[in-house]
Amino acid sequence: MQNESNDLSNVDKDSSTWRTFLKLSPYIIEHKFLLFLSIILLVLSAFADTSLIAILKPLLDKGFAKGDQNFLLMAPIYIFGLVFLRGVANYGYSVFLSLISGKIVMKMRQKLFNHFVDSSVSYYDKNSTGRLLSRITYDTDQVAASSSDALIIIIRESAFICGLFYTMFYNSWQLSLSLLIITPIVIGLISFVSIKFRKLAKAMQNSMGNLTMSVEQMLKGHREIIVFGAQDEESKNFEKVSNKFRRDGMRLVSVSALSTPIVQLVISFGIAFVLLMASNPDLNITPGEFTVVFSSLVALMQPIKSLTSVNAGFQKGMAACQTLFAILEQPIEQDNGKITIERVKGNIEFRNVTFNYESRKEPALKDISFSVPAGKTIALVGRSGSGKTTITNLLTRFYDISQGEILIDNLNIENLSLSSLRDQIALVSQNVHLFNDTIANNITYGRIGEYSQSQIEEAAKKANAYDFIMQFENQFDTRVGESGVLLSGGQRQRLAIARALLRDNPILILDEATSALDTESERAIQNALESLQKGRTSIVIAHRLSTIEKADEILVIDNGRILEQGTHEKLLNNKSVYYSLYTGNKLQ
Ligand code: ADP
Ligand code: MG
């Protein structure tokens, strides 16, 4: 039963391997010319190998037996030529095949990279970056390495085997046939003997175990044995076990002592049989033919061994390939909106928005409604985890809502193309990510080269970043290191503010944009932020209430709902949640 189910799963594996290979084939066919060339070179290399064996016949028969001097002089040139051909062919196919596989790997990597870039934010919630990284780096390599190895083995070794068979049968089909029949018998007998030997060794181990167990029982249960008068019984039992151990040992020694002569005998029978065939005057076998046939037989072993193991390696590569195709077949971020807008005025409205992260049971936002007129500032306050960032995530359409509507200038944002929507929004968030590039390029990120140096400096000055940038030796050309490690959290935030200032988008999201700043620096860029907010619709999330007092409207969010809504003064007068937050100043 178990075997059957194993077989079934193997069939399954094989068929999915082939389906995957079919999907991979367009990538390969693209390089059909080089591939064709490699196949010819693989066959040529196998041909050279075969010829090097085949030349033994004329070398022995013509050269040495008949003393043909001419041939003996030509032979080295011929052999040299073959080895040269083999070298050239091997070099050629190695280079061509790695050229092909390198290109295939690069194409797959690029496809994966583009796929990852175009995937939605929620995709990254579900997949760990480490896993995705190894897909791009490791799995793509696996695919190429295993398929080119498989190709080399299948083509080259099959051609070599064909060549060897041809040489054998061409020289003497009778001898070849008898060798081909006798070889499996000899191999079979030898493996039979060694299996028997292994079984005996195992039996010996067992009886050794029984022996120690018997002694151990006696030693531990000595009191019981004498109380119950079982001395004789135990003694007989021990004798039985001990005798079995002795006999097993004896058998092992006799088999191992016999096995070497038996194997040698079997081999010599084989050789005797072959010699008998060879000596048959009807066959008229020359020393050269005999040597060639025999050498071919020995040479056959290696390629046959490689061919039998090629499937395992190939399947490993195709398994990696299958995961890659599975990734590529997953949907990327949908961009179905048709409307494109140059620049919105910036009226934002949320209408009864309810939103659920896929991985959570409870909605993160429940029935949220509010509106912000163009150019005004709305502040979101509430404990951490209340849903403030989620509101901004929906405005940028990092996630799509299932209920309700979000409108910008009375247009449902689902009808806007993603790029045109995101072009309207500048985002300064609590975790500013910088790219491993210069400060200037980080400020102009996404539009590198579109701004003049003076524009960049102006933005940096407004963001209160100019002074610290000038302190670096390379100033705006300073590389910030991986993820901006060379900069402090506050400095990174100021670069992000400069970025937003430069982009001049009509809608601004400040999600705890000053959280990494101390009170001093915060006060210093408060002006910068205020000038940034001027003329833009702003959504400000801040944990220090002092920074949002001037907002036109404040929403107090708790557990995904709006608890209170109004201006600073109005909310204070309410003497409710906001009031207690403000007086306790405990928002986080
Ligand atoms: P805030 O910004 O107010 O601190 P968030 O909007 O980040 O809160 O989070 C609101 C709720 O949604 C929290 O309970 C949080 O755990 C959950 N949440 C946030 N992001 C995700 C996500 N990507 N997947 C699942 N749940 C999330
Ligand atoms: Mg947040």
Side-chain angles (χ1 to χ4, degrees), residues 383-390 392-393 430 511-512 541 588:
R383 284 178 299 161
S384 118
S386 54
K388 306 179 296 291
T389 300
T390 304
T392 66
N393 282 344
Q430 58 211 111
D511 187 351
E512 315 212 356
I541 302 172
Q588 294 292 313

Side-chain angles (χ1 to χ4, degrees), residues 34-49 80-98 152 155-156:
L34 271 184
L35 192 67
F36 181 66
L37 222 59
S38 315
I39 290 176
I40 290 180
L41 290 172
L42 283 165
V43 174
L44 267 183
S45 153
F47 169 76
D49 270 347
F80 177 79
L82 281 177
V83 174
F84 183 76
L85 173 72
R86 184 172 176 270
V88 170
N90 284 4
Y91 172 80
Y93 78 67
S94 310
V95 168
F96 289 155
L97 283 180
S98 48
I152 291 177
I155 306 275
R156 195 179 177 285

Side-chain angles (χ1 to χ4, degrees), residues 157-216:
E157 307 296 43
S158 322
F160 192 31
I161 289 173
C162 290
L164 288 174
F165 268 111
Y166 177 77
T167 316
M168 285 173 81
F169 280 81
Y170 178 79
N171 277 290
S172 163
W173 67 267
Q174 296 93 334
L175 188 61
S176 305
L177 204 62
S178 51
L179 271 176
L180 285 180
I181 292 169
I182 205 137
T183 313
I185 298 177
V186 172
I187 291 178
L189 275 173
I190 293 172
S191 57
F192 175 76
V193 171
S194 59
I195 287 172
K196 185 93 189 156
F197 189 78
R198 235 178 293 148
K199 261 193 196 151
L200 278 176
K202 190 117 195 216
M204 171 103 183
Q205 261 177 11
N206 270 343
S207 41
M208 176 76 192
N210 286 342
L211 187 80
T212 36
M213 203 164 70
S214 172
V215 178
E216 196 184 328

Side-chain angles (χ1 to χ4, degrees), residues 282-312:
D282 291 346
L283 290 185
N284 195 13
I285 291 174
T286 66
E289 281 167 358
F290 184 79
T291 316
V292 167
V293 173
F294 217 79
S295 314
S296 301
L297 184 79
V298 175
L300 267 176
M301 303 297 166
Q302 185 52 45
I304 287 180
K305 218 167 127 196
S306 317
L307 266 184
T308 50
S309 61
V310 67
N311 193 33

Side-chain angles (χ1 to χ4, degrees), residues 467-485:
D467 290 342
F468 86 78
I469 294 172
M470 296 317 275
Q471 275 165 19
F472 287 113
E473 196 187 337
N474 293 326
Q475 302 177 342
F476 278 85
D477 294 327
T478 310
R479 298 191 75 90
V480 299
E482 195 177 343
S483 321
V485 280

